[in-house]
Amino acid sequence: MALDQSFVGRTYPATDPYEVGREKIREFAEAVGDINPVYTDPEAAKALGYADVIAPPTFVFSITFKAAGEVVRDPLLGLDYSRVVHGDQKFAYRRPVRAGDRLTVTSTIEAIKSMAGNEIVDIRGEVHDEAGEHVVTAWTKLVARAAEEA
């Protein structure tokens, strides 16, 4: 069943703040195999002009994808999550994510398309810090695969 095009442009409420911790940044950097000391050593980060360690560029995916879950769980949208795969991801940064940031995400459905029986949903996540400063925009493409014919 095709998803409702009237959902394009719908914005969901901001998430509760997520506090970015040094340890979470370190764990993420280790998990993705990025050994850049700016992610784990406060002194290395300070030497480059940062107040504290910064996060690898894809770190923010963990909070923007969680925020996109609100879109996915919207029963009125009718997306069958059991058929969803992650199609694409991209980011546009204003500044790096830093240890100590308290970030919120506001998700908006940018597009809904049907292609070869698949449903494709593009979600934009606007990430702001506690002061309301825009930190990064993340775009997530979700693909609900077509049901297999019996």
Side-chain angles (χ1 to χ4, degrees):
M1 177 167 95
L3 297 177
D4 187 344
Q5 287 291 320
S6 72
F7 277 74
V8 174
R10 182 173 290 195
T11 298
Y12 292 77
T15 61
D16 290 333
Y18 174 88
E19 187 162 343
V20 179
R22 279 185 188 168
E23 186 64 13
K24 288 290 184 185
I25 291 173
R26 183 191 62 75
E27 289 170 352
F28 187 88
E30 287 177 357
V32 299
D34 196 329
I35 60 169
N36 187 333
V38 75
Y39 305 141
T40 57
D41 180 358
E43 294 309 313
K46 287 175 185 171
L48 293 175
Y50 300 109
D52 205 334
V53 297
I54 61 170
T58 55
F59 176 87
V60 76
F61 175 77
S62 59
I63 62 172
T64 58
F65 191 73
K66 184 176 179 182
E70 191 168 340
V71 175
V72 170
R73 289 186 302 275
D74 186 335
L76 299 176
L77 177 61
L79 187 66
D80 180 358
Y81 190 70
S82 71
R83 307 199 70 73
V84 169
V85 295
H86 184 240
D88 192 21
Q89 189 72 49
K90 62 183 178 178
F91 306 98
Y93 275 86
R94 293 277 184 124
R95 67 161 177 84
V97 170
R98 304 181 287 238
D101 275 341
R102 290 177 48 83
L103 304 175
T104 58
V105 183
T106 303
S107 297
T108 300
I109 298 176
E110 284 202 326
I112 296 174
K113 298 176 259 191
S114 294
M115 186 180 297
N118 299 313
E119 297 291 334
I120 302 166
V121 180
D122 293 317
I123 303 167
R124 183 183 75 243
E126 298 290 348
V127 180
H128 292 86
D129 66 15
E130 200 167 34
E133 178 188 356
H134 179 241
V135 176
V136 60
T137 300
W139 290 271
T140 302
K141 183 180 298 289
L142 301 177
V143 180
R145 297 171 289 113
E148 296 178 17
E149 297 194 24

